Amino acid sequence: MDAMVSVPEPDPAELRATRPHLGIDPVAGLTLEDVPLAAIARSFGTPAWVYGAGTMRARARAFRAAFAACGLAPDIHFAVKANDHQAVLRLFAAEGLGADVVSGGELARARAAGMAATDIVFSGVGKTVAELDRALAEGVGQINVESAEELEMLAARARAAGRPAPVVLRVNPDVDAATHAKITTGRAENKFGIALAEAETVYARAARLEGITLRGLAFHIGSQITDLAAFRAACTRIADLARALRGRGLALDTVDFGGGLGISYRGEAVVGVDAYAGAIAATLGGLGVRLKTEPGRWLVGPAGVLLAAVVLVKETPGRRFVVLDAAMNDLLRPALYEAWHAMLPVAPARGPAGPVDVVGPVCESADRFAVGRMLPPLGPGALVAILDAGAYGAVMSSTYNSRPLLPVVMIERGRFALVRARQPEEALWAGERVPEWFG
Ligand code: LLP
Protein backbone atom coordinates (compact mmCIF):
# COMPACT_ATOMS: atom_id res chain seq x y z
CA MET A 1 0.00 0.00 0.00
CA ASP A 2 1.71 3.25 0.89
CA ALA A 3 4.80 1.41 1.98
CA MET A 4 6.05 2.35 -1.48
CA VAL A 5 6.05 6.12 -1.02
CA SER A 6 9.73 6.02 -1.97
CA VAL A 7 8.82 4.86 -5.47
CA PRO A 8 8.80 7.93 -7.74
CA GLU A 9 5.43 8.93 -9.09
CA PRO A 10 4.86 7.39 -12.52
CA ASP A 11 4.06 9.82 -15.33
CA PRO A 12 0.86 9.51 -17.39
CA ALA A 13 2.60 7.75 -20.28
CA GLU A 14 4.03 5.11 -17.91
CA LEU A 15 0.65 4.66 -16.25
CA ARG A 16 -0.98 3.96 -19.60
CA ALA A 17 1.86 1.80 -20.90
CA THR A 18 1.49 -0.61 -17.97
CA ARG A 19 -2.30 -0.73 -18.40
CA PRO A 20 -3.05 -2.03 -21.89
CA HIS A 21 -6.79 -1.44 -21.48
CA LEU A 22 -6.18 2.32 -21.36
CA GLY A 23 -5.58 4.38 -24.47
CA ILE A 24 -5.61 7.90 -25.77
CA ASP A 25 -7.83 9.21 -28.51
CA PRO A 26 -6.42 12.47 -29.85
CA VAL A 27 -9.84 14.11 -29.78
CA ALA A 28 -11.86 12.30 -27.10
CA GLY A 29 -8.99 11.78 -24.66
CA LEU A 30 -8.58 8.81 -22.31
CA THR A 31 -10.22 5.55 -23.37
CA LEU A 32 -10.90 2.29 -21.56
CA GLU A 33 -11.08 -0.74 -23.86
CA ASP A 34 -11.44 1.72 -26.74
CA VAL A 35 -14.41 3.60 -25.30
CA PRO A 36 -13.80 7.29 -24.51
CA LEU A 37 -14.43 7.87 -20.83
CA ALA A 38 -15.84 11.27 -21.81
CA ALA A 39 -18.63 9.45 -23.66
CA ILE A 40 -19.43 7.43 -20.53
CA ALA A 41 -19.59 10.64 -18.49
CA ARG A 42 -21.90 12.23 -21.06
CA SER A 43 -24.22 9.22 -21.04
CA PHE A 44 -24.40 8.48 -17.33
CA GLY A 45 -22.92 11.42 -15.47
CA THR A 46 -20.24 11.37 -12.80
CA PRO A 47 -19.08 9.96 -10.51
CA ALA A 48 -19.36 6.48 -12.00
CA TRP A 49 -17.58 3.14 -11.82
CA VAL A 50 -16.38 1.89 -15.18
CA TYR A 51 -15.24 -1.72 -15.64
CA GLY A 52 -13.48 -3.32 -18.58
CA ALA A 53 -14.95 -6.79 -19.08
CA GLY A 54 -12.28 -7.66 -21.63
CA THR A 55 -9.61 -6.87 -19.06
CA MET A 56 -11.26 -9.07 -16.43
CA ARG A 57 -11.54 -11.94 -18.90
CA ALA A 58 -7.95 -11.53 -20.04
CA ARG A 59 -6.71 -11.54 -16.46
CA ALA A 60 -8.69 -14.67 -15.58
CA ARG A 61 -7.12 -16.40 -18.58
CA ALA A 62 -3.62 -15.15 -17.77
CA PHE A 63 -4.01 -16.34 -14.18
CA ARG A 64 -5.02 -19.81 -15.31
CA ALA A 65 -2.30 -19.92 -17.98
CA ALA A 66 0.42 -19.05 -15.47
CA PHE A 67 -0.45 -22.14 -13.43
CA ALA A 68 -0.88 -24.31 -16.49
CA ALA A 69 2.67 -23.37 -17.51
CA CYS A 70 3.80 -24.90 -14.19
CA GLY A 71 1.75 -28.02 -14.74
CA LEU A 72 -0.96 -26.99 -12.28
CA ALA A 73 -4.69 -26.53 -12.75
CA PRO A 74 -6.01 -25.11 -9.48
CA ASP A 75 -9.73 -24.52 -9.08
CA ILE A 76 -10.05 -20.73 -9.13
CA HIS A 77 -12.63 -19.29 -6.76
CA PHE A 78 -13.04 -15.56 -7.36
CA ALA A 79 -13.17 -13.69 -4.02
CA VAL A 80 -16.58 -12.08 -4.35
CA LYS A 81 -15.74 -9.46 -1.72
CA ALA A 82 -13.42 -7.74 -4.21
CA ASN A 83 -16.22 -6.98 -6.66
CA ASP A 84 -19.64 -8.51 -6.20
CA HIS A 85 -21.47 -7.14 -9.23
CA GLN A 86 -23.71 -9.71 -10.96
CA ALA A 87 -22.15 -9.02 -14.37
CA VAL A 88 -18.67 -9.57 -12.95
CA LEU A 89 -19.69 -12.84 -11.32
CA ARG A 90 -21.40 -14.00 -14.54
CA LEU A 91 -18.28 -13.15 -16.51
CA PHE A 92 -16.08 -15.23 -14.23
CA ALA A 93 -18.59 -18.09 -14.13
CA ALA A 94 -18.46 -18.13 -17.94
CA GLU A 95 -14.66 -18.28 -17.68
CA GLY A 96 -14.99 -21.41 -15.56
CA LEU A 97 -14.30 -19.80 -12.18
CA GLY A 98 -16.12 -20.55 -8.97
CA ALA A 99 -16.58 -18.19 -6.04
CA ASP A 100 -15.13 -17.63 -2.60
CA VAL A 101 -17.85 -16.15 -0.38
CA VAL A 102 -17.81 -14.89 3.19
CA SER A 103 -21.46 -14.28 4.00
CA GLY A 104 -24.96 -15.48 3.26
CA GLY A 105 -25.35 -12.39 1.07
CA GLU A 106 -22.32 -13.26 -1.04
CA LEU A 107 -23.51 -16.86 -1.29
CA ALA A 108 -26.88 -15.63 -2.56
CA ARG A 109 -25.19 -13.29 -5.05
CA ALA A 110 -22.96 -16.00 -6.44
CA ARG A 111 -25.92 -18.36 -6.78
CA ALA A 112 -27.99 -15.59 -8.43
CA ALA A 113 -25.18 -15.14 -10.94
CA GLY A 114 -25.54 -18.78 -11.90
CA MET A 115 -22.61 -20.26 -10.02
CA ALA A 116 -23.09 -23.89 -9.00
CA ALA A 117 -23.10 -24.41 -5.24
CA THR A 118 -20.41 -27.05 -5.67
CA ASP A 119 -18.12 -24.36 -7.19
CA ILE A 120 -18.43 -22.18 -4.10
CA VAL A 121 -16.04 -22.03 -1.17
CA PHE A 122 -17.42 -20.50 2.05
CA SER A 123 -14.77 -18.70 4.12
CA GLY A 124 -15.00 -16.41 7.13
CA VAL A 125 -14.14 -16.31 10.79
CA GLY A 126 -17.67 -15.87 12.08
CA LYS A 127 -20.15 -17.78 9.97
CA THR A 128 -23.45 -17.82 11.83
CA VAL A 129 -25.52 -20.94 12.44
CA ALA A 130 -27.97 -19.65 9.82
CA GLU A 131 -25.12 -19.24 7.30
CA LEU A 132 -23.74 -22.70 8.02
CA ASP A 133 -27.22 -24.20 7.64
CA ARG A 134 -27.64 -22.39 4.36
CA ALA A 135 -24.25 -23.55 3.07
CA LEU A 136 -25.21 -27.14 3.92
CA ALA A 137 -28.70 -26.86 2.45
CA GLU A 138 -27.38 -25.41 -0.80
CA GLY A 139 -24.63 -28.00 -1.07
CA VAL A 140 -21.67 -25.62 -1.04
CA GLY A 141 -18.53 -27.35 -2.31
CA GLN A 142 -16.21 -26.47 0.55
CA ILE A 143 -16.50 -24.83 3.94
CA ASN A 144 -13.27 -23.32 5.26
CA VAL A 145 -13.42 -23.82 9.01
CA GLU A 146 -11.49 -21.21 10.97
CA SER A 147 -11.53 -22.52 14.54
CA ALA A 148 -12.02 -25.57 16.73
CA GLU A 149 -15.20 -23.90 17.99
CA GLU A 150 -16.62 -23.49 14.50
CA LEU A 151 -15.75 -27.10 13.70
CA GLU A 152 -17.96 -28.36 16.55
CA MET A 153 -20.74 -25.95 15.57
CA LEU A 154 -20.66 -27.07 11.95
CA ALA A 155 -20.51 -30.78 12.83
CA ALA A 156 -23.62 -30.39 14.97
CA ARG A 157 -25.51 -28.58 12.20
CA ALA A 158 -24.41 -31.15 9.62
CA ARG A 159 -25.62 -34.01 11.82
CA ALA A 160 -28.93 -32.21 12.33
CA ALA A 161 -29.26 -31.68 8.57
CA GLY A 162 -28.25 -35.25 7.84
CA ARG A 163 -25.67 -33.94 5.35
CA PRO A 164 -21.95 -34.22 5.95
CA ALA A 165 -20.09 -30.92 5.61
CA PRO A 166 -17.19 -30.79 3.13
CA VAL A 167 -14.47 -29.13 5.19
CA VAL A 168 -10.96 -27.80 4.94
CA LEU A 169 -9.30 -26.27 7.98
CA ARG A 170 -7.96 -22.76 7.56
CA VAL A 171 -4.62 -22.63 9.28
CA ASN A 172 -2.89 -19.42 10.32
CA PRO A 173 0.74 -20.01 9.30
CA ASP A 174 2.02 -17.00 11.29
CA VAL A 175 3.83 -15.40 8.37
CA ASP A 176 4.44 -11.69 7.89
CA ALA A 177 2.84 -10.84 4.56
CA ALA A 178 4.62 -7.45 4.56
CA THR A 179 1.46 -5.62 3.53
CA HIS A 180 -0.67 -2.93 5.16
CA ALA A 181 -1.46 -3.85 8.78
CA LYS A 182 -5.19 -3.56 8.14
CA ILE A 183 -5.14 -6.25 5.45
CA THR A 184 -2.68 -8.76 6.86
CA THR A 185 -4.38 -11.93 8.06
CA GLY A 186 -1.75 -14.60 8.57
CA ARG A 187 -0.01 -13.44 11.76
CA ALA A 188 -0.62 -15.14 15.07
CA GLU A 189 -2.23 -11.97 16.43
CA ASN A 190 -4.81 -11.88 13.62
CA LYS A 191 -8.23 -13.39 14.26
CA PHE A 192 -8.05 -15.65 11.21
CA GLY A 193 -7.52 -19.40 11.05
CA ILE A 194 -6.39 -22.10 13.43
CA ALA A 195 -2.97 -21.59 15.02
CA LEU A 196 -0.28 -23.67 13.37
CA ALA A 197 0.65 -25.20 16.73
CA GLU A 198 -2.91 -26.48 17.22
CA ALA A 199 -3.58 -27.48 13.64
CA GLU A 200 -2.61 -31.15 13.98
CA THR A 201 -4.83 -31.66 17.03
CA VAL A 202 -7.82 -29.95 15.46
CA TYR A 203 -7.26 -31.84 12.20
CA ALA A 204 -7.19 -35.17 14.00
CA ARG A 205 -10.40 -34.26 15.80
CA ALA A 206 -12.08 -33.16 12.54
CA ALA A 207 -11.05 -36.40 10.84
CA ARG A 208 -13.11 -38.47 13.24
CA LEU A 209 -15.95 -36.05 13.84
CA GLU A 210 -19.32 -37.30 12.66
CA GLY A 211 -20.86 -34.83 10.21
CA ILE A 212 -17.52 -33.65 8.84
CA THR A 213 -15.96 -34.83 5.59
CA LEU A 214 -12.43 -33.57 6.00
CA ARG A 215 -10.62 -32.75 2.79
CA GLY A 216 -7.56 -30.78 3.72
CA LEU A 217 -6.11 -27.39 4.54
CA ALA A 218 -6.54 -23.75 3.57
CA PHE A 219 -4.61 -20.57 4.31
CA HIS A 220 -4.72 -16.92 3.29
CA ILE A 221 -2.08 -14.62 4.70
CA GLY A 222 -3.31 -11.24 3.56
CA SER A 223 -4.00 -9.04 0.60
CA GLN A 224 -1.93 -6.83 -1.75
CA ILE A 225 1.10 -9.03 -1.12
CA THR A 226 4.11 -7.97 -3.17
CA ASP A 227 6.70 -10.22 -1.58
CA LEU A 228 7.22 -13.72 -2.94
CA ALA A 229 9.07 -14.78 0.22
CA ALA A 230 5.87 -14.40 2.27
CA PHE A 231 3.94 -16.70 -0.04
CA ARG A 232 6.81 -19.20 -0.08
CA ALA A 233 7.08 -19.22 3.69
CA ALA A 234 3.35 -19.81 4.14
CA CYS A 235 3.25 -22.54 1.50
CA THR A 236 6.27 -24.27 3.00
CA ARG A 237 4.70 -24.32 6.45
CA ILE A 238 1.46 -25.69 5.07
CA ALA A 239 3.27 -28.31 3.00
CA ASP A 240 5.20 -29.40 6.10
CA LEU A 241 1.96 -29.60 8.03
CA ALA A 242 0.33 -31.65 5.26
CA ARG A 243 3.21 -34.11 5.35
CA ALA A 244 3.07 -34.33 9.13
CA LEU A 245 -0.66 -35.05 9.01
CA ARG A 246 -0.18 -37.77 6.44
CA GLY A 247 2.63 -39.15 8.54
CA ARG A 248 0.05 -39.60 11.32
CA GLY A 249 -2.19 -41.48 8.92
CA LEU A 250 -4.59 -38.57 8.38
CA ALA A 251 -5.97 -38.18 4.86
CA LEU A 252 -5.69 -34.93 2.94
CA ASP A 253 -6.67 -34.34 -0.68
CA THR A 254 -7.13 -30.54 -0.96
CA VAL A 255 -5.00 -27.47 -0.28
CA ASP A 256 -6.60 -24.06 -0.77
CA PHE A 257 -3.84 -21.44 -0.95
CA GLY A 258 -6.13 -18.43 -0.64
CA GLY A 259 -5.72 -15.14 -2.47
CA GLY A 260 -3.63 -12.08 -1.85
CA LEU A 261 -1.54 -11.56 -4.98
CA GLY A 262 -0.85 -7.83 -5.24
CA ILE A 263 -1.04 -5.47 -8.19
CA SER A 264 1.20 -2.50 -8.99
CA TYR A 265 -0.69 0.66 -8.07
CA ARG A 266 2.14 3.12 -8.60
CA GLY A 267 4.75 1.29 -10.58
CA GLU A 268 6.25 -0.51 -7.58
CA ALA A 269 7.69 -3.97 -8.15
CA VAL A 270 5.19 -6.74 -7.49
CA VAL A 271 5.20 -10.51 -7.71
CA GLY A 272 4.31 -11.50 -11.25
CA VAL A 273 1.62 -14.11 -11.66
CA ASP A 274 4.17 -16.44 -13.30
CA ALA A 275 6.56 -16.24 -10.36
CA TYR A 276 3.63 -16.72 -7.99
CA ALA A 277 2.49 -19.85 -9.82
CA GLY A 278 6.07 -21.06 -9.84
CA ALA A 279 6.35 -20.67 -6.07
CA ILE A 280 3.08 -22.52 -5.54
CA ALA A 281 4.24 -25.31 -7.82
CA ALA A 282 7.61 -25.57 -6.04
CA THR A 283 6.08 -25.76 -2.57
CA LEU A 284 2.64 -27.36 -2.96
CA GLY A 285 2.90 -28.98 -6.38
CA GLY A 286 4.46 -32.18 -5.10
CA LEU A 287 1.79 -32.91 -2.49
CA GLY A 288 -0.48 -34.63 -4.98
CA VAL A 289 -3.53 -32.73 -3.80
CA ARG A 290 -6.28 -30.81 -5.54
CA LEU A 291 -5.27 -27.15 -5.36
CA LYS A 292 -7.73 -24.31 -4.92
CA THR A 293 -7.18 -20.58 -4.88
CA GLU A 294 -9.24 -17.48 -4.01
CA PRO A 295 -7.89 -14.47 -5.92
CA GLY A 296 -9.79 -11.20 -5.84
CA ARG A 297 -7.80 -8.03 -6.42
CA TRP A 298 -5.47 -9.42 -9.09
CA LEU A 299 -8.39 -10.38 -11.33
CA VAL A 300 -10.43 -7.18 -11.11
CA GLY A 301 -8.37 -4.36 -9.60
CA PRO A 302 -6.74 -2.97 -12.75
CA ALA A 303 -9.96 -3.45 -14.77
CA GLY A 304 -11.94 -0.69 -13.07
CA VAL A 305 -11.78 3.08 -12.82
CA LEU A 306 -13.69 5.58 -10.79
CA LEU A 307 -14.64 8.35 -13.20
CA ALA A 308 -15.10 11.71 -11.47
CA ALA A 309 -15.44 15.36 -12.40
CA VAL A 310 -13.82 18.39 -10.84
CA VAL A 311 -16.34 20.48 -8.90
CA LEU A 312 -13.95 23.37 -8.32
CA VAL A 313 -10.34 24.16 -7.62
CA LYS A 314 -9.86 25.83 -4.28
CA GLU A 315 -6.74 27.91 -3.66
CA THR A 316 -5.54 28.53 -0.12
CA PRO A 317 -2.20 30.02 0.91
CA GLY A 318 0.34 27.41 -0.13
CA ARG A 319 -2.14 24.75 -1.25
CA ARG A 320 -4.33 23.97 -4.19
CA PHE A 321 -7.26 21.63 -3.64
CA VAL A 322 -8.92 19.91 -6.58
CA VAL A 323 -12.38 19.04 -5.25
CA LEU A 324 -13.96 16.10 -7.08
CA ASP A 325 -17.58 14.99 -7.13
CA ALA A 326 -16.40 11.54 -5.95
CA ALA A 327 -15.52 11.03 -2.31
CA MET A 328 -14.33 8.63 0.37
CA ASN A 329 -17.80 7.13 0.64
CA ASP A 330 -17.39 5.95 -2.98
CA LEU A 331 -13.75 4.82 -2.91
CA LEU A 332 -12.67 4.29 0.69
CA ARG A 333 -9.19 2.85 0.14
CA PRO A 334 -7.17 6.10 0.27
CA ALA A 335 -8.90 7.20 3.50
CA LEU A 336 -8.78 3.78 5.16
CA TYR A 337 -5.34 2.54 4.15
CA GLU A 338 -3.57 5.63 2.77
CA ALA A 339 -3.74 3.69 -0.48
CA TRP A 340 -2.21 5.34 -3.54
CA HIS A 341 -4.39 5.31 -6.65
CA ALA A 342 -3.11 6.71 -9.91
CA MET A 343 -5.18 9.47 -11.51
CA LEU A 344 -5.33 10.51 -15.13
CA PRO A 345 -7.12 13.53 -16.53
CA VAL A 346 -9.46 12.37 -19.30
CA ALA A 347 -8.77 15.33 -21.61
CA PRO A 348 -5.29 15.88 -23.05
CA ALA A 349 -3.22 18.00 -20.66
CA ARG A 350 -3.09 21.76 -21.30
CA GLY A 351 -0.18 23.14 -19.37
CA PRO A 352 2.50 21.82 -17.04
CA ALA A 353 1.74 19.58 -14.05
CA GLY A 354 1.85 21.00 -10.53
CA PRO A 355 1.20 19.56 -7.07
CA VAL A 356 -2.42 19.46 -5.89
CA ASP A 357 -4.40 17.79 -3.14
CA VAL A 358 -7.25 15.83 -4.67
CA VAL A 359 -10.19 15.68 -2.28
CA GLY A 360 -13.87 14.84 -2.17
CA PRO A 361 -16.75 16.91 -0.78
CA VAL A 362 -17.44 14.75 2.29
CA CYS A 363 -17.12 16.46 5.67
CA GLU A 364 -14.05 14.57 6.86
CA SER A 365 -10.39 15.50 6.51
CA ALA A 366 -9.74 11.86 5.60
CA ASP A 367 -11.75 12.47 2.44
CA ARG A 368 -8.74 12.91 0.21
CA PHE A 369 -7.61 10.81 -2.69
CA ALA A 370 -4.12 12.26 -2.98
CA VAL A 371 -1.79 14.77 -1.39
CA GLY A 372 0.69 16.76 -3.44
CA ARG A 373 -0.13 14.86 -6.60
CA MET A 374 1.41 16.17 -9.81
CA LEU A 375 -1.49 16.89 -12.15
CA PRO A 376 -1.90 19.26 -15.10
CA PRO A 377 -4.24 22.24 -14.70
CA LEU A 378 -7.83 21.05 -14.16
CA GLY A 379 -10.83 23.36 -14.23
CA PRO A 380 -14.40 22.82 -13.06
CA GLY A 381 -16.02 20.00 -15.05
CA ALA A 382 -12.72 18.39 -16.04
CA LEU A 383 -12.93 14.61 -15.91
CA VAL A 384 -10.47 12.54 -13.89
CA ALA A 385 -10.09 8.76 -13.93
CA ILE A 386 -8.97 7.22 -10.64
CA LEU A 387 -7.28 4.01 -11.71
CA ASP A 388 -7.16 0.45 -10.39
CA ALA A 389 -10.48 0.81 -8.63
CA GLY A 390 -12.01 -2.45 -9.83
CA ALA A 391 -11.24 -4.29 -6.57
CA TYR A 392 -12.49 -3.16 -3.15
CA GLY A 393 -14.01 -0.09 -4.76
CA ALA A 394 -17.78 -0.17 -5.23
CA VAL A 395 -18.10 -3.00 -2.70
CA MET A 396 -16.77 -0.79 0.09
CA SER A 397 -18.92 2.23 -0.74
CA SER A 398 -21.40 3.71 1.69
CA THR A 399 -24.00 6.41 1.41
CA TYR A 400 -22.34 8.59 4.06
CA ASN A 401 -23.41 12.24 3.73
CA SER A 402 -26.51 10.83 1.95
CA ARG A 403 -24.59 10.37 -1.23
CA PRO A 404 -26.32 7.78 -3.44
CA LEU A 405 -24.42 4.71 -4.64
CA LEU A 406 -22.85 5.28 -8.04
CA PRO A 407 -23.81 3.86 -11.41
CA VAL A 408 -21.70 1.06 -12.86
CA VAL A 409 -20.82 0.88 -16.55
CA MET A 410 -19.37 -2.20 -18.22
CA ILE A 411 -17.28 -1.98 -21.38
CA GLU A 412 -16.27 -4.73 -23.77
CA ARG A 413 -14.96 -4.64 -27.35
CA GLY A 414 -15.91 -1.01 -27.82
CA ARG A 415 -19.47 -1.48 -26.50
CA PHE A 416 -20.71 -0.22 -23.20
CA ALA A 417 -23.77 -0.73 -21.03
CA LEU A 418 -25.12 0.68 -17.81
CA VAL A 419 -25.12 -2.33 -15.49
CA ARG A 420 -26.24 -0.52 -12.34
CA ALA A 421 -28.21 2.69 -12.27
CA ARG A 422 -27.27 5.54 -9.97
CA GLN A 423 -29.17 4.99 -6.73
CA PRO A 424 -32.24 7.24 -6.63
CA GLU A 425 -32.24 9.65 -3.70
CA GLU A 426 -35.51 8.27 -2.31
CA ALA A 427 -33.84 4.85 -2.04
CA LEU A 428 -31.57 6.35 0.61
CA TRP A 429 -34.40 6.35 3.15
CA ALA A 430 -36.78 3.85 1.52
CA GLY A 431 -36.40 1.30 4.33
CA GLU A 432 -36.77 3.82 7.14
CA ARG A 433 -39.90 4.11 9.26
CA VAL A 434 -40.93 6.77 11.75
CA PRO A 435 -42.49 5.39 14.97
CA GLU A 436 -46.27 5.72 14.96
CA TRP A 437 -46.20 7.64 18.23
CA PHE A 438 -44.35 10.48 16.50
CA GLY A 439 -47.80 11.34 15.15
N1 LLP B 1 -9.60 -15.27 0.55
C1 LLP B 1 -9.82 -14.78 1.78
C2 LLP B 1 -10.11 -15.70 2.88
C3 LLP B 1 -9.76 -13.39 2.00
O1 LLP B 1 -9.95 -12.91 3.22
C4 LLP B 1 -9.48 -12.52 0.92
C5 LLP B 1 -9.41 -11.06 1.11
C6 LLP B 1 -9.27 -13.08 -0.37
C7 LLP B 1 -9.33 -14.47 -0.50
C8 LLP B 1 -8.97 -12.25 -1.57
O2 LLP B 1 -7.77 -11.56 -1.43
P1 LLP B 1 -7.17 -10.73 -2.65
O3 LLP B 1 -6.74 -11.73 -3.69
O4 LLP B 1 -8.22 -9.84 -3.16
O5 LLP B 1 -6.03 -10.02 -2.06
N2 LLP B 1 -10.29 -4.06 1.48
C9 LLP B 1 -8.88 -4.33 1.36
C10 LLP B 1 -8.61 -5.79 1.04
C11 LLP B 1 -9.20 -6.76 2.02
C12 LLP B 1 -8.97 -8.20 1.66
C13 LLP B 1 -9.73 -9.12 2.54
N3 LLP B 1 -9.60 -10.51 2.24
C14 LLP B 1 -8.27 -3.39 0.34
O6 LLP B 1 -9.00 -2.56 -0.22
O7 LLP B 1 -7.08 -3.42 0.09
Side-chain angles (χ1 to χ4, degrees):
M1 325 275 311
D2 247 18
M4 70 291 286
V5 275
S6 52
V7 178
E9 225 174 272
D11 66 33
E14 278 172 71
L15 288 171
R16 285 197 309 275
T18 46
R19 291 163 179 79
H21 51 295
L22 299 179
I24 280 282
D25 178 288
V27 180
L30 190 65
T31 60
L32 198 160
E33 293 191 13
D34 301 325
V35 174
L37 289 170
I40 304 278
R42 266 196 308 279
S43 301
F44 309 114
T46 59
W49 301 103
V50 188
Y51 301 153
T55 307
M56 293 184 186
R57 257 185 242 287
R59 295 186 74 84
R61 290 174 192 177
F63 192 88
R64 192 192 298 286
F67 284 92
C70 301
L72 299 180
D75 296 337
I76 306 170
H77 297 269
F78 172 61
V80 173
K81 65 170 80 70
N83 189 322
D84 62 9
H85 193 284
Q86 283 290 299
V88 172
L89 301 183
R90 290 236 168 227
L91 181 157
F92 285 132
E95 291 294 325
L97 274 60
D100 165 56
V101 304
V102 293
S103 69
E106 285 191 353
L107 174 57
R109 270 184 187 276
R111 299 287 284 128
M115 292 216 178
T118 46
D119 292 336
I120 296 176
V121 166
F122 203 139
S123 307
V125 74
K127 302 176 210 73
T128 63
V129 166
E131 285 172 329
L132 293 175
D133 285 350
R134 194 161 165 188
L136 289 168
E138 299 225 5
V140 158
Q142 175 179 303
I143 301 177
N144 294 9
V145 166
E146 297 226 13
S147 61
E149 294 79 0
E150 184 181 38
L151 179 67
E152 302 298 331
M153 214 166 123
L154 176 58
R157 301 314 299 173
R159 288 193 297 268
R163 264 187 183 230
V167 162
V168 304
L169 296 189
R170 176 170 174 183
V171 172
N172 183 331
D174 194 17
V175 162
D176 183 358
T179 185
H180 192 282
K182 284 183 183 162
I183 55 171
T184 189
T185 53
R187 297 306 306 272
E189 70 260 31
N190 299 133
K191 67 184 173 183
F192 301 98
I194 296 162
L196 196 53
E198 288 162 7
E200 282 192 41
T201 312
V202 181
Y203 201 92
R205 162 94 184 133
R208 56 187 156 74
L209 200 52
E210 200 194 327
I212 299 294
T213 304
L214 187 58
R215 296 268 167 74
L217 300 169
F219 63 97
H220 170 82
I221 56 172
S223 194
Q224 184 54 18
I225 299 169
T226 56
D227 175 15
L228 196 55
F231 282 122
R232 268 209 210 96
C235 290
T236 304
R237 286 184 185 186
I238 296 298
D240 289 346
L241 173 62
R243 282 185 283 266
L245 292 169
R246 281 181 170 162
R248 292 178 55 172
L250 294 161
L252 178 138
D253 67 25
T254 299
V255 171
D256 176 343
F257 55 91
L261 185 60
I263 60 173
S264 184
Y265 283 97
R266 78 178 274 178
E268 72 277 22
V270 292
V271 177
V273 69
D274 300 317
Y276 175 62
I280 301 292
T283 50
L284 302 175
L287 287 176
V289 292
R290 178 168 177 184
L291 291 174
K292 299 193 180 195
T293 177
E294 308 162 356
R297 186 190 318 265
W298 197 90
L299 294 174
V300 290
V305 307
L306 173 56
L307 183 60
V310 174
V311 176
L312 52 81
V313 180
K314 173 176 170 171
E315 308 272 358
T316 65
R319 280 200 114 77
R320 176 176 288 169
F321 294 96
V322 173
V323 186
L324 299 181
D325 57 2
M328 65 184 284
N329 70 294
D330 304 311
L331 178 65
L332 183 60
R333 303 191 69 257
L336 190 58
Y337 316 114
E338 292 87 41
W340 194 98
H341 280 263
M343 285 174 208
L344 286 175
V346 171
R350 288 205 197 93
V356 292
D357 290 0
V358 183
V359 302
V362 159
C363 304
E364 301 266 351
S365 293
D367 184 24
R368 43 177 211 194
F369 292 116
V371 180
R373 186 69 59 90
M374 295 301 285
L375 287 176
L378 294 165
L383 296 172
V384 175
I386 305 180
L387 306 187
D388 307 317
Y392 307 108
V395 283
M396 292 177 74
S397 296
S398 76
T399 58
Y400 185 42
N401 281 205
S402 282
R403 294 168 48 85
L405 297 177
L406 306 185
V408 179
V409 181
M410 183 76 93
I411 297 180
E412 188 160 28
R413 286 192 296 272
R415 288 178 299 193
F416 61 90
L418 182 70
V419 294
R420 183 176 86 183
R422 190 179 303 282
Q423 188 179 34
E425 272 178 5
E426 312 77 63
L428 290 170
W429 59 88
E432 297 175 13
R433 300 285 176 272
V434 176
E436 262 170 48
W437 68 83
F438 277 28

